[in-house]
Amino acid sequence: MSDGRQKHNRAWWLVLPVVVSVAFTAIIPLMTVVNYSVQDIFSPFDRIFVGLDWFRDVARDPEVRGALVRTLIFSAQVLLIEIPLGVLIAVCMPRRGWTVSVALVLVALPLLIPWNVVGTIWQIFARGDIGLGGWAVNKVVNFNYTLDSADAWITVLAMDVWHWTPLVVLLAYAGLRSIPDPYFQAAQIDGASAWATFRHIQLPRLRGVLTIAILLRFMDSFMIYTEPFVVTGGGPGNATSFLSILLSKIAVGQFDLGPAGAFSLLYFLIVQIVCYVFFTVLTRSGR
Amino acid sequence: MRRLPWARTVFWLYAATLMLPLLWMFGMSIRPNADILGAFSLVPQRVTLENYETFFTDSTWYSSYLNSIVYTSMNTVMSLVVALPAAYAFSRFRFAGDKHLFFWLLTNRMAPPAVFLLPFFQIYQSVGLFDTHLGVALAHMLFNVPLAVWILEGFMSGIPREIDETAAIDGYSLPGFFFRIFLPMIRSAIGVTAFFCFMFSWVELLIARTITSVDAKPIAATMTRTVSAAGVDWGLLAAAGVMTIIPGAILIWFVRNYIAKGFALGRV
């Protein structure tokens, strides 16, 4: 949205279809959730207003707190591994010739696989008896993701790194490609080392795309559901039971509308706050 | 620019690691089940197509595969039709509340799908959209419309505004200009956006599974129900997994040069 645009309030007519469709898919459902969250519902005709009781219950629930801590740790680990790794691979990616197309397609491939199939792939790959990964690790240390909590966590983390680092690679690669050649020629004339070139030319120019990368990776890792659901089902015990998994268990499994509604709203709120903080910090620092 | 000496090695090692789990699944899909659970071997001892045969002859499998293709295609068309005029408005005009609206759209991308499960389930049942292709296509507009608006707006802003003005001087009306000049100019952007809408609708499982039961059941949901009394049918599951990768693998070739820009929401 660059400026110099005409002022033209009739443009609202062009935006109207979007507003209507998003109202139907987002606002009405969200209002329904708000409605659930303040009532105790026994049947469609038998409900009482309970105010903020559900919110208090949910905020105090040790199971919810455990899931929140796990999800936060998971998101932090995901960011710490995927962002540096993605930038490294992007710097190493070929830049000229036919290998560029091949490299782009290979890197993008994991992103286009349905999320439950990603789960299936790793369910097979990490098994000690029939999977290459699990079999190889088993040669060194005892590894079984269905029984051992630490192994389950590592499997889910490895799966996420496998699945989503390509997104960071693609974004960083696009950012690197947009740096004009004279920058590098100047660096070369000055005799800058590869590290100095990266630190003072490439990294600063990656700010924009890395902001998007960090935001997207935070949001998606914080909302992760399908992949761990397929691989571990939240187990063993509740070792990999993240917020989404717990929420859908309460909502669809037990059909507890009130607590599920309150849980949903708090969850949404946390995502929004953390994204807002990230966004503000990243766009302000270095200005 | 100067390249690090080991850059090539690092990249291709990474690419190989990336492909390993995929190749392994492919390997599983062409083995008979007895061999999968038998002795561990790196290369299939016997190659068979029986898993794919089951996939194409058992109606629960191929019909849910078709279901997924139908609702993703519907969603792609609907999202584009809705998003095109809006993206144009955002890139060309200033109007009351435009910035707020634009950012509010992105917050829908932040909403955990799990939050919307219950209301979707109940609303769709009460208006008769439950278990229909149209229902899933509508529900997926939740994240695809904001995505499409963001990507298209990014691409459209790259086209100079002078073109609009020249066309206006030449006597084109806004719709005439939009359909005859502007749309052909941004056809690669439309292609990229369509690809992303298709992809995100194709990979989503949680919502699609919740609001369908039989008639519009997605392939992804069928795959989560392969556990029978005899245990998991790994070969068939792997074959279905390979089949779900194919549409993306074909489409990606056409948009390979734009894919990074698309993931950056049109902003690089």
Side-chain angles (χ1 to χ4, degrees):
Chain A
M1 283 226 258
S2 55
D3 260 296
R5 292 169 296 146
Q6 290 174 48
K7 184 124 178 93
H8 196 30
N9 267 333
R10 273 187 303 168
W12 259 100
W13 289 108
L14 298 175
V15 190
L16 197 64
V18 163
V19 175
V20 171
S21 65
V22 178
F24 183 75
T25 55
I27 301 177
I28 297 177
L30 205 58
M31 288 304 110
T32 319
V33 175
V34 172
N35 190 28
Y36 292 151
S37 69
V38 292
Q39 301 188 62
D40 197 350
I41 299 171
F42 304 104
S43 77
F45 310 103
D46 186 12
R47 45 176 73 188
I48 44 171
F49 182 77
V50 294
L52 295 177
D53 286 2
W54 293 131
F55 289 90
R56 207 170 302 132
D57 285 1
V58 167
R60 281 186 192 149
D61 186 348
E63 223 183 330
V64 174
R65 287 187 176 186
L68 175 65
V69 170
R70 270 192 296 277
T71 314
L72 283 172
I73 295 175
F74 182 72
S75 286
Q77 290 178 340
V78 158
L79 287 178
L80 285 176
I81 298 174
E82 292 180 11
I83 300 291
L85 180 63
V87 173
L88 171 73
I89 301 299
V91 170
C92 294
M93 229 166 120
R95 230 146 279 214
R96 271 180 211 95
W98 60 273
T99 47
V100 175
S101 292
V102 176
L104 279 173
V105 171
L106 286 185
V107 168
L109 207 53
L111 298 169
L112 310 174
I113 300 171
W115 295 344
N116 72 307
V117 180
V118 172
T120 306
I121 291 172
W122 279 82
Q123 202 183 9
I124 295 173
F125 191 70
R127 273 179 69 114
D129 52 350
I130 62 169
L132 181 61
W135 174 80
V137 174
N138 241 338
K139 295 268 159 200
V140 188
V141 287
N142 208 5
F143 181 87
N144 187 333
Y145 70 84
T146 52
L147 295 177
D148 186 281
S149 327
D151 292 352
W153 182 277
I154 291 168
T155 306
V156 174
L157 189 63
M159 172 170 63
D160 198 85
V161 170
W162 178 83
H163 187 189
W164 286 109
T165 306
L167 175 71
V168 185
V169 175
L170 288 178
L171 291 176
Y173 179 72
L176 290 175
R177 289 292 294 256
S178 71
I179 303 175
D181 274 344
Y183 279 71
F184 295 112
Q185 288 152 10
Q188 215 161 8
I189 292 165
D190 290 348
S193 66
W195 170 251
T197 316
F198 172 73
R199 175 67 191 82
H200 297 290
I201 296 179
Q202 295 181 313
L203 199 56
R205 298 279 294 202
L206 285 180
R207 175 189 305 283
V209 280
L210 284 185
T211 305
I212 296 177
I214 291 175
L215 281 177
L216 286 178
R217 280 318 300 131
F218 170 74
M219 286 190 239
D220 290 339
S221 63
F222 202 71
M223 299 191 273
I224 190 168
Y225 172 82
T226 314
E227 300 96 317
F229 178 78
V230 172
V231 176
T232 63
N238 53 10
T240 53
S241 139
F242 300 110
L243 283 173
S244 277
I245 291 180
L246 184 59
L247 174 56
S248 66
K249 196 174 88 189
I250 297 175
V252 185
Q254 307 165 355
F255 228 69
D256 285 336
L257 300 183
F263 189 166
S264 300
L265 291 178
L266 289 175
Y267 190 4
F268 195 14
L269 199 68
I270 294 172
V271 179
Q272 300 240 350
I273 291 173
V274 178
C275 283
Y276 182 77
V277 169
F278 264 127
F279 188 76
T280 321
V281 170
L282 287 170
T283 46
R284 288 223 181 123
S285 67
R287 277 265 163 90
Chain B
M1 69 173 275
R2 207 143 50 103
R3 302 297 308 275
L4 296 169
W6 36 264
R8 195 184 295 264
T9 323
V10 170
F11 177 78
W12 291 110
L13 266 179
Y14 173 75
T17 320
L18 216 49
M19 289 305 114
L20 213 53
L22 287 182
L23 290 175
W24 190 254
M25 184 171 71
F26 179 71
M28 287 282 135
S29 74
I30 53 171
R31 296 178 205 208
N33 257 326
D35 287 18
I36 294 176
L37 294 171
F40 182 90
S41 68
L42 284 177
V43 183
Q45 301 299 315
R46 288 180 293 165
V47 173
T48 170
L49 287 176
E50 65 184 32
N51 295 316
Y52 290 94
E53 230 174 87
T54 317
F55 184 89
F56 283 109
T57 48
D58 184 343
S59 73
T60 49
W61 284 100
Y62 68 78
S63 71
S64 60
Y65 192 68
L66 287 177
N67 285 339
S68 285
I69 291 182
V70 170
Y71 74 70
T72 14
S73 310
M74 283 169 76
N75 171 275
T76 305
V77 174
M78 282 155 46
S79 302
L80 273 180
V81 167
V82 168
L84 271 170
Y88 183 75
F90 281 122
S91 80
R92 291 303 194 256
F93 304 119
R94 265 187 309 145
F95 48 94
D98 55 352
K99 288 220 167 84
H100 298 288
L101 189 60
F102 196 64
F103 285 105
W104 172 73
L105 279 178
L106 190 68
T107 63
N108 289 303
R109 173 72 178 68
M110 294 180 210
V115 170
F116 292 93
L117 284 187
L118 263 183
F120 271 145
F121 186 72
Q122 299 212 314
I123 294 172
Y124 278 47
Q125 261 184 340
S126 63
V127 297
L129 282 170
F130 184 77
D131 204 17
T132 60
H133 296 114
L134 181 65
V136 184
L138 272 174
H140 281 179
M141 284 172 87
L142 167 70
F143 46 83
N144 269 351
V145 166
L147 184 81
V149 172
W150 272 69
I151 296 179
L152 284 171
E153 196 272 336
F155 277 95
M156 285 178 183
S157 293
I159 292 183
R161 236 165 254 122
E162 285 72 23
I163 290 173
D164 303 36
E165 287 155 18
T166 318
I169 294 167
D170 287 349
Y172 277 98
S173 66
L174 184 59
F177 161 73
F178 190 74
F179 287 108
R180 263 181 282 166
I181 300 177
F182 199 68
L183 284 191
M185 281 181 71
I186 55 159
R187 57 179 187 273
S188 60
I190 296 176
V192 174
T193 314
F195 170 78
F196 275 90
C197 289
F198 188 89
M199 246 25 265
F200 278 99
S201 181
W202 181 257
V203 298
E204 206 279 341
L205 166 70
L206 188 51
I207 293 176
R209 194 185 60 174
T210 307
I211 59 174
T212 56
S213 61
V214 182
D215 294 341
K217 189 163 86 167
I219 176 71
T222 310
M223 287 183 69
T224 57
R225 292 168 200 162
T226 48
V227 188
S228 64
V232 182
D233 189 344
W234 294 108
L236 185 54
L237 194 63
V242 172
M243 289 305 299
T244 60
I245 298 175
I246 288 175
I250 294 172
L251 288 176
I252 192 180
W253 185 256
F254 297 102
V255 296
R256 63 190 181 281
N257 294 323
Y258 301 97
I259 191 150
K261 199 172 172 185
F263 273 115
L265 301 174
R267 285 164 181 68
V268 173

